[in-house]
Amino acid sequence: MANEQVLTADQVIDNARRYLKGEDIAFLERAYEFAKNAHAEQYRKSGEPYIIHPIQVAGILVDLDLDPSTIAAGFLHDVVEDTSVTLEEIKEAFNAEVAMLVDGVTKLGKIKYKSQEEQQAENHRKMFVAMAQDIRVILIKLADRLHNMRTLKHLPQEKQRRISNETLEIFAPLAHRLGISKIKWELEDTALRYLNPQQYYRIVNLMKRKRAEREEYISEVMNEVNDRLEEVEITAELSGRPKHIYSIYRKMAKQNKQFSEIYDLLAVRIIVNSIKDCYAVLGIIHTCWKPMPGRFKDYIAMPKPNMYQSLHTTVIGPKGDPLEVQIRTSDMHQIAEYGIAAHWAYKEDKEADDRASFEEKLTWFREILEWQNDATNAEEFMESLKIDLFSDMVFVFTPKGDVIELPSGSVPIDFSYRIHSEIGNKTIGAKVNGKMVTLDYKLKTGDIIEILTSKHSYGPSQDWLKLAQTSQAKNRIRQFFKKQRREENVEKGRDLVEKEIKGMDFDLKEILNSENINRVSEKFNFMTADDMFAAVGYNGITALQVANRLTEKQRRQRDKEQQITDITENAEKKKTAPVKKRKDAGVVVQGIDSLLVRLSKCCNPVPGDEIVGFITRGRGVSVHRADCANVEAEGTTDRLIDVDWESDVKDNREYNVEIEITGYDRRGLLNEVLQAVNETKTDITAVSGRSDRNKMATIHMAIAIHNINHLHKVVERIKQISDIYAVRRIMQ
């Protein structure tokens, strides 16, 4: 999966010929032509034709040797979301399988949500549910995200950071849980480059400095291992294992270590023909060099949940430095690189029973999704999923020796509900490694757990909801209370909702009519209104959530009336104000004259930026860049208003813009930056800089520019200076 190369459609199709027949190739060519016609006249932010993106996604899927339907869906994955094509048309033109895969990765674009966060959460919930039906949905989505990350440089910085954060929180951990390390590492490294460029480039520089020395050392080690393996007639493939930038960064951050203290930068991977050879090679390695205590891991005898298998050991190498060695078979290596995708690789001779057996290994994922069914909204669903699916894991044992996997931080309550709901409800205590422990004891890998139960137990207490870490345990506890105290919860929930509505100063009779209550209970996916109030009573959802839904129509009307009042009052106040005040900003408010207009200091818009007006209370219209994060934060979209730059904005009018320049610190760097800005005939109103102990320089500069083209000219000139890594526009 080359990071830089941009494939053509012909190259993707030719790569697919490695393992697909003529009729399958014709199927892919038809999918490409369909996508090309659907995306005609569409372009990406980079200025490239939009079809470039689906081609690269399909190319990544071909690299994984996936089946024709999945690759076709890769070509078509955006046509429903971004064009007028419907799923029915795809089903008719191709088949139901391709239509199902495309639907699984299509965002919910036609539904209106209160916030971008809510929409993103709903999109993720849809994707995960589709993934539970067919795992290929997430393979397409990972390929889509991988190419988007490769082209992230063309987006504004705020979007770069948001998308990179989402990648680290959702997609990279998901790739890890599915064992696709080839995609996981690139997602993580690319996200780090946008989220923390200083640390990213610092690690890159540090790795470059000692690369030759490391390569020489690894070569010496591999030669010695090769000689020993030849003596015992074991055939093996040896290579140096590259250490990825994000893993170094994470280790430095979590363990508070310096780069020089990361000892597994030196690593050798040995691939052999059989499991027997794996253990034989391990013995040879431990004979050559002394193993470090506590650094041996046998993932062959106990594979990771993502099916990863390998032997890991760290030894004191020939020069006294720690050396990590990984030993595995070629089949294990294929799984380590491609994970779940290796099982879905298209092979004519793959038996249906083999795939069914593989599907059974994914029951952990479907179980987790089932546990999310009680989530009242998409945000809660995603938070629960992050805990159960993406957090670090611990592996504990039942008294019979069965392995149970739980999120890090889990307690005996989580363990008991993982075994069975009835065991959880009847729990009265726990033993860990033969000793009694409290129910808030944090489980550790290797613990042997014995749950003590009593048939006379009255069930869980409310405090257990605070102790439990897994969504499965929390949902089972809530279900217990829901069944046990339904009438009490219904009454309690109704009282809490009424209290919230009164606090909003609305009439209860107007709000709590049966039509409104039934409408809201359906929105929360409850069968009856009593079910909804009961959920409020046992803390399944909050009274404020319900009250907000019940009063949304009235609150919207109240806000509109207030906005009209504010605009009218402001227009009256500013009626006699000189026209110059409006023109000082160089901005025209559509449909309204004599209204105070000011440029927002949080994003400092300049002529050429896309802008939007925000109606403030008592201060006229605040003009923001369209991509300013504070626009959503300040209020609802009802308070936004169309504004434009004046057509006759004078070139001599100046606008303040702040930029941040980062690069490798060296003598004369600041002087070169100042000289470069002066060459563009730009006034500098403020400048400051700092350098850290890792020789990373950060320069903050305020400049006076005329328009967006002027700003681009300044930025491009600065980027021409050697050792400059990035120039970005600062938003407060």
Side-chain angles (χ1 to χ4, degrees):
M1 291 180 201
N3 197 355
E4 299 298 330
Q5 184 185 8
V6 177
L7 299 171
T8 64
D10 289 340
Q11 287 173 319
V12 172
I13 300 294
D14 285 344
N15 289 343
R17 294 182 201 277
R18 288 185 295 108
Y19 64 97
L20 294 180
K21 289 182 176 180
E23 59 189 35
D24 294 327
I25 295 298
F27 184 72
L28 298 185
E29 289 173 336
R30 196 153 52 85
Y32 163 66
E33 289 297 330
F34 189 102
K36 185 175 74 169
N37 293 331
H39 290 299
E41 307 303 321
Q42 287 185 336
Y43 296 88
R44 304 194 84 204
K45 293 286 186 183
S46 61
E48 298 173 321
Y50 192 91
I51 190 63
I52 294 289
H53 171 63
I55 291 172
Q56 306 317 303
V57 171
I60 293 168
L61 297 172
V62 169
D63 282 345
L64 298 174
D65 288 359
L66 293 176
D67 60 288
S69 291
T70 307
I71 300 167
F75 279 123
L76 300 163
H77 76 277
D78 273 339
V79 295
V80 174
E81 183 180 333
D82 294 335
T83 75
S84 59
V85 175
T86 65
L87 279 172
E88 284 302 317
E89 289 174 308
I90 291 181
K91 186 175 180 181
E92 187 177 333
F94 298 95
N95 56 47
E97 186 178 23
V98 172
M100 179 273 295
L101 293 172
V102 171
D103 184 40
V105 294
T106 298
K107 295 176 186 173
L108 305 169
K110 299 194 169 46
I111 302 173
K112 297 295 181 184
Y113 295 94
K114 288 187 297 183
S115 66
Q116 185 179 13
E117 289 76 13
E118 183 181 359
Q119 179 160 4
Q120 279 295 84
E122 287 289 358
N123 286 332
H124 288 144
R125 167 142 66 176
K126 178 177 185 286
M127 178 185 70
F128 280 111
V129 171
M131 174 183 167
Q133 303 302 316
D134 195 312
I135 205 69
R136 291 174 294 173
V137 168
I138 203 61
L139 299 180
I140 299 168
K141 192 63 186 176
L142 285 172
D144 172 58
R145 177 52 60 110
L146 180 59
H147 183 248
N148 282 335
M149 290 300 292
R150 289 174 178 175
T151 56
L152 208 56
K153 62 184 176 184
H154 300 293
L155 296 182
Q157 188 186 25
E158 292 72 25
K159 282 192 175 180
Q160 290 176 350
R161 294 185 66 82
R162 176 175 60 77
I163 292 170
S164 296
N165 262 320
E166 182 183 65
T167 298
L168 282 184
E169 285 186 359
I170 303 292
F171 292 99
L174 188 55
H176 171 67
R177 287 287 275 177
L178 298 177
I180 315 175
S181 62
K182 205 168 184 68
I183 289 179
K184 175 209 172 194
W185 291 122
E186 188 176 340
L187 289 177
E188 289 181 336
D189 285 357
T190 311
L192 179 64
R193 192 167 80 222
Y194 290 103
L195 289 173
N196 197 334
Q198 290 91 342
Q199 285 284 37
Y200 176 87
Y201 287 110
R202 175 196 167 211
I203 293 171
V204 168
N205 284 330
L206 289 169
M207 291 179 74
K208 280 180 181 176
R209 290 178 194 173
K210 294 192 175 183
R211 177 176 292 169
E213 181 184 325
R214 285 201 308 275
E215 288 176 351
E216 181 184 344
Y217 181 80
I218 291 294
S219 178
E220 179 185 332
V221 168
M222 289 194 296
N223 288 336
E224 185 166 347
V225 172
N226 256 326
D227 292 342
R228 295 298 186 96
L229 293 181
E230 286 177 4
E231 290 175 10
V232 294
E233 299 182 347
I234 291 178
T235 303
E237 178 186 332
L238 281 74
S239 62
R241 182 182 69 86
K243 191 70 177 176
H244 295 275
I245 297 167
Y246 182 77
S247 65
I248 296 172
Y249 165 78
R250 193 160 179 256
K251 190 164 286 188
M252 290 168 65
K254 285 187 74 174
Q255 300 177 13
N256 196 26
K257 289 184 175 180
Q258 293 299 313
F259 182 84
S260 58
E261 298 177 277
I262 306 297
Y263 55 75
D264 55 353
L265 287 172
L266 301 171
V268 173
R269 181 176 290 145
I270 304 173
I271 300 175
V272 294
N273 295 324
S274 66
I275 293 177
K276 180 182 73 174
D277 287 347
C278 288
Y279 289 99
V281 171
L282 177 70
I284 291 170
I285 296 295
H286 283 181
T287 303
C288 289
W289 300 290
K290 184 176 292 187
M292 292 180 65
R295 294 293 300 173
F296 169 65
K297 293 173 184 173
D298 188 344
Y299 294 119
I300 294 179
M302 190 179 291
K304 291 184 178 182
N306 60 13
M307 297 165 288
Y308 176 90
Q309 287 185 289
S310 187
L311 295 177
H312 290 195
T313 186
T314 302
V315 298
I316 303 300
K319 294 184 180 179
D321 294 322
L323 170 72
E324 185 181 66
V325 182
Q326 296 179 353
I327 309 164
R328 62 180 69 144
T329 66
S330 55
D331 285 344
M332 292 175 190
H333 183 62
Q334 189 75 359
I335 297 296
E337 292 291 295
Y338 297 101
I340 198 172
H343 289 273
W344 269 105
Y346 186 71
K347 298 183 180 70
E348 290 183 74
D349 58 350
K350 179 163 280 194
E351 299 290 335
D353 289 343
D354 291 341
R355 187 154 286 173
S357 172
F358 160 67
E359 288 282 336
E360 287 179 12
K361 295 177 182 178
L362 290 175
T363 53
W364 58 267
F365 178 75
R366 294 192 177 87
E367 285 174 359
I368 287 174
L369 284 183
E370 287 172 12
W371 304 333
Q372 316 305 325
N373 284 341
D374 289 337
T376 55
N377 55 50
E379 288 98 329
E380 183 181 332
F381 172 89
M382 287 309 301
E383 285 304 312
S384 298
L385 201 65
K386 285 177 189 177
I387 293 171
D388 286 335
L389 191 57
F390 301 145
S391 59
D392 293 333
M393 310 304 290
V394 294
F395 301 89
V396 295
F397 297 90
T398 67
K400 292 182 179 179
D402 296 327
V403 180
I404 303 293
E405 179 190 10
L406 292 166
S408 180
S410 293
V411 298
I413 293 169
D414 299 297
F415 177 88
S416 64
Y417 279 101
R418 181 63 57 87
I419 301 300
H420 197 279
S421 297
E422 281 305 305
I423 291 177
N425 289 338
K426 297 296 182 183
T427 295
I428 58 170
K431 285 184 178 181
V432 174
N433 304 324
K435 295 181 179 179
M436 288 293 297
V437 297
T438 57
L439 291 180
D440 62 354
Y441 170 85
K442 303 290 184 186
L443 301 179
K444 301 179 184 65
T445 294
D447 283 345
I448 301 172
I449 319 298
E450 180 185 354
I451 298 296
L452 307 178
T453 62
S454 170
K455 60 182 179 181
H456 302 297
S457 168
Y458 289 103
S461 71
Q462 287 282 359
D463 288 341
W464 286 17
L465 286 171
K466 298 175 184 176
L467 297 178
Q469 297 298 307
T470 61
S471 56
Q472 181 196 20
K474 290 181 179 180
N475 288 337
R476 295 293 181 261
I477 295 166
R478 290 191 186 107
Q479 284 178 5
F480 176 86
F481 290 123
K482 184 164 69 172
K483 291 175 183 176
Q484 294 293 313
R485 307 170 185 169
R486 178 173 170 77
E487 289 184 12
E488 178 186 332
N489 284 327
V490 169
E491 187 177 343
K492 178 183 175 184
R494 186 181 288 273
D495 289 342
L496 290 171
V497 171
E498 288 180 358
K499 185 177 179 181
E500 290 288 350
I501 294 172
K502 284 179 182 177
M504 297 175 182
D505 201 22
F506 286 112
D507 182 11
L508 287 177
K509 289 182 180 178
E510 179 189 356
I511 304 298
L512 293 177
N513 57 69
S514 58
E515 182 182 346
N516 197 25
I517 292 173
N518 290 333
R519 176 185 64 82
V520 172
S521 61
E522 285 177 11
K523 278 193 175 182
F524 280 110
N525 296 318
F526 290 109
M527 295 293 290
T528 67
D530 279 355
D531 289 341
M532 179 179 71
F533 288 124
V536 176
Y538 64 75
N539 297 325
I541 55 175
T542 67
L544 182 59
Q545 285 177 295
V546 175
N548 280 338
R549 285 289 178 94
L550 287 167
T551 60
E552 58 189 350
K553 182 179 177 182
Q554 289 79 2
R555 286 185 294 111
R556 199 179 300 120
Q557 183 62 32
R558 181 190 282 179
D559 285 346
K560 277 188 178 178
E561 290 171 359
Q562 183 62 47
Q563 288 161 28
I564 292 169
T565 301
D566 288 345
I567 292 173
T568 305
E569 288 178 356
N570 284 327
E572 289 295 326
K573 287 179 184 177
K574 306 301 175 185
K575 203 176 278 184
T576 58
V579 176
K580 188 182 75 171
K581 276 202 171 181
R582 178 178 61 85
K583 290 186 177 287
D584 274 349
V587 173
V588 176
V589 179
Q590 296 296 317
I592 301 177
D593 288 326
S594 303
L595 193 61
L596 179 65
V597 177
R598 62 185 179 86
L599 299 180
S600 173
K601 292 183 180 179
C602 63
C603 56
N604 287 325
V606 300
D609 282 332
E610 289 186 27
I611 53 175
V612 64
F614 182 83
I615 301 168
T616 64
R617 300 188 186 277
R619 291 182 294 145
V621 175
S622 173
V623 178
H624 295 257
R625 281 167 53 186
D627 59 355
C628 178
N630 288 335
V631 171
E632 280 191 15
E634 287 193 27
T636 66
T637 54
D638 292 336
R639 295 174 68 182
L640 299 181
I641 190 169
D642 289 335
V643 293
D644 287 314
W645 294 106
E646 288 180 358
S647 57
D648 60 343
V649 174
K650 299 292 188 294
D651 285 341
N652 60 358
R653 181 174 289 152
E654 292 184 333
Y655 297 82
N656 192 56
V657 171
E658 293 185 32
I659 58 175
E660 181 184 82
I661 305 152
T662 56
Y664 180 71
D665 190 20
R666 57 172 170 78
R667 187 185 297 273
L669 181 68
L670 178 59
N671 285 336
E672 286 186 39
V673 171
L674 295 175
Q675 185 178 346
V677 176
N678 285 328
E679 287 174 9
T680 64
K681 297 180 181 178
T682 304
D683 290 335
I684 301 172
T685 57
V687 65
S688 64
R690 68 177 187 277
S691 174
D692 63 21
R693 60 182 179 179
N694 300 307
K695 303 290 285 181
M696 289 298 300
T698 302
I699 302 169
H700 284 127
M701 185 179 292
I703 55 177
I705 60 104
H706 304 307
N707 51 46
I708 197 70
N709 292 331
H710 184 185
L711 176 61
H712 288 164
K713 181 180 176 183
V714 175
V715 170
E716 288 305 314
R717 178 63 188 89
I718 295 172
K719 286 165 70 176
Q720 292 171 13
I721 301 170
S722 63
D723 294 321
I724 293 296
Y725 297 142
V727 183
R728 73 181 186 94
R729 187 172 168 184
I730 298 175
M731 291 178 64
Q732 301 297 325

